[in-house]
Amino acid sequence: MSEIEALLDRWRAEEQEQPQGWDFSTLDGRMTESDEPWSFDTEVREALAGARRVLDMGTGGGEHLLRFRDLLPADTTATEGWAPNVSVAQQNLAPHSIHVVEYGAPDNDVDSVQMPFPDARFDLVLNRHESYSPHELARVIAPGGMFLTQQVGGDECAELGDWFGERPTLPHVNFVPFRLALDAAGFDVVDGAEHVGVYTFDDVAALLAYLQLVPWETPDDFTVDRYRHQLLELHQRTAAGPVTMTRKRFWLKGVRR
Ligand SMILES: C[S@@+](CC[C@H](N)C(=O)[O-])C[C@H]1O[C@@H](n2cnc3c(N)ncnc32)[C@H](O)[C@@H]1O
């Protein structure tokens, strides 16, 4: 087998349907991410200390929420908007008496769907890497309640566009517009920051393993065979070594006026 065929075989072995849940362990040891200069988990812990009616938005399979299982109040709810993960989240969270409700705010029109909760229902809403409607949050969070979010910058990984062709980005998903929108909806933004860092993959195979988990980041027709020329070029350009991409994160803490 030629060296190129062997490489393609190795890359094809990374291809899979997007798994359910939200678990990046297939990348353990093959991808590193630069740390942002804040700890969202620490912020979550501190916020949970005083909270009695908590919502976790976009819980995935509940993996992140369960890190805080010892701190969650009896009245904890989660939403999940991606249908395949709703039942995964229900299974994982039911043993902890956490009710999972199907809801997601479409990225391009976050106000188009009402949150399935009455006014002033929560005193803390957590949101890690999930879209949201500031107006709906202002409705379901009681005055004095808190909204805590960490977001992925909508224009990160621009390198993917250079390598594989134009792809949709969400440039408005960024720190300043999100801070302003929260303020306009009725929140005092009391803390937050943004950070530009880097993802480092051991090689093209590790990059491919990552892309299986985030299929919206690549063109709809993306496969190893269809994009073999681009992948081989990337492999050569990176001298068969690490592949890097820009990573963007920001976080915001808002208190409902
Ligand atoms: C990026 S995940 C974050 C999950 C969780 N909050 C966490 O921090 O680990 C945000 C949401 O995207 C959902 N998701 C995953 N794959 C998706 C897909 N192909 N299309 C739409 N949503 C997807 C997840 O189920 C989850 O609710």
Side-chain angles (χ1 to χ4, degrees):
M1 191 190 291
S2 75
E3 199 184 317
I4 287 180
E5 272 310 316
L7 255 183
L8 288 171
D9 260 5
R10 215 177 119 220
W11 292 344
R12 286 184 198 115
E14 302 290 351
E15 291 185 300
Q16 58 164 332
E17 288 298 313
Q18 190 193 1
Q20 293 183 339
W22 196 246
D23 174 12
F24 281 63
S25 55
T26 51
L27 280 155
D28 281 353
R30 301 203 287 162
M31 172 183 95
T32 57
E33 299 178 60
S34 54
D35 285 332
E36 51 276 338
W38 62 83
S39 163
F40 188 67
D41 284 11
T42 302
E43 297 296 334
V44 170
R45 272 176 220 292
E46 284 176 11
L48 280 171
R52 300 181 53 196
R53 293 172 292 140
V54 172
L55 172 68
D56 184 41
M57 296 179 68
T59 200
E63 297 87 350
H64 185 250
L65 182 62
L66 286 177
R67 286 187 200 171
F68 311 100
R69 58 170 75 88
D70 299 335
L71 298 172
L72 298 175
D75 183 352
T76 298
T77 307
T79 60
E80 174 51 39
W82 190 46
N85 271 351
V86 175
S87 55
V88 179
Q90 282 166 342
Q91 268 168 30
N92 290 344
L93 296 179
H96 303 273
S97 306
I98 299 169
H99 186 52
V100 179
V101 181
E102 184 161 3
Y103 161 79
D107 279 325
N108 289 320
D109 192 4
V110 289
D111 294 324
S112 60
V113 186
Q114 269 210 336
M115 293 180 79
F117 304 108
D119 296 357
R121 167 71 179 80
F122 300 105
D123 60 13
L124 174 64
V125 175
L126 304 171
N127 175 315
R128 194 180 79 143
H129 305 174
E130 174 72 340
S131 54
Y132 63 84
S133 156
H135 296 291
E136 277 298 287
L137 283 173
R139 184 178 67 74
V140 302
I141 298 180
M146 184 184 289
F147 176 57
L148 198 56
T149 187
Q150 177 171 285
Q151 294 283 319
V152 176
D155 53 354
E156 73 159 20
C157 301
E159 294 83 353
L160 289 171
D162 303 336
W163 300 332
F164 306 128
E166 273 319 298
R167 53 194 259 285
T169 57
L170 296 165
H172 65 283
V173 181
N174 257 305
F175 179 63
V176 171
F178 267 44
R179 191 185 63 197
L180 293 173
L182 266 189
D183 183 76
F187 289 88
D188 288 331
V189 179
V190 295
D191 212 341
E194 64 183 331
H195 181 251
V196 180
V198 64
Y199 297 96
T200 306
F201 301 91
D202 278 1
D203 50 20
V204 170
L207 172 69
L208 283 164
Y210 175 74
L211 294 176
Q212 308 308 304
L213 306 178
V214 290
W216 56 86
E217 293 281 12
T218 45
D220 288 344
D221 64 346
F222 187 81
T223 63
V224 168
D225 283 311
R226 285 200 201 99
Y227 284 75
R228 58 191 286 158
H229 298 299
Q230 293 92 325
L231 290 165
L232 287 165
E233 199 187 311
L234 182 61
H235 175 78
Q236 274 175 354
R237 211 173 330 136
T238 53
V243 182
T244 58
M245 286 196 304
T246 309
R247 177 185 189 274
K248 294 193 179 180
R249 294 287 182 275
F250 63 95
W251 81 282
L252 291 160
K253 186 200 283 191
V255 176
R256 180 77 174 100
R257 285 193 282 271

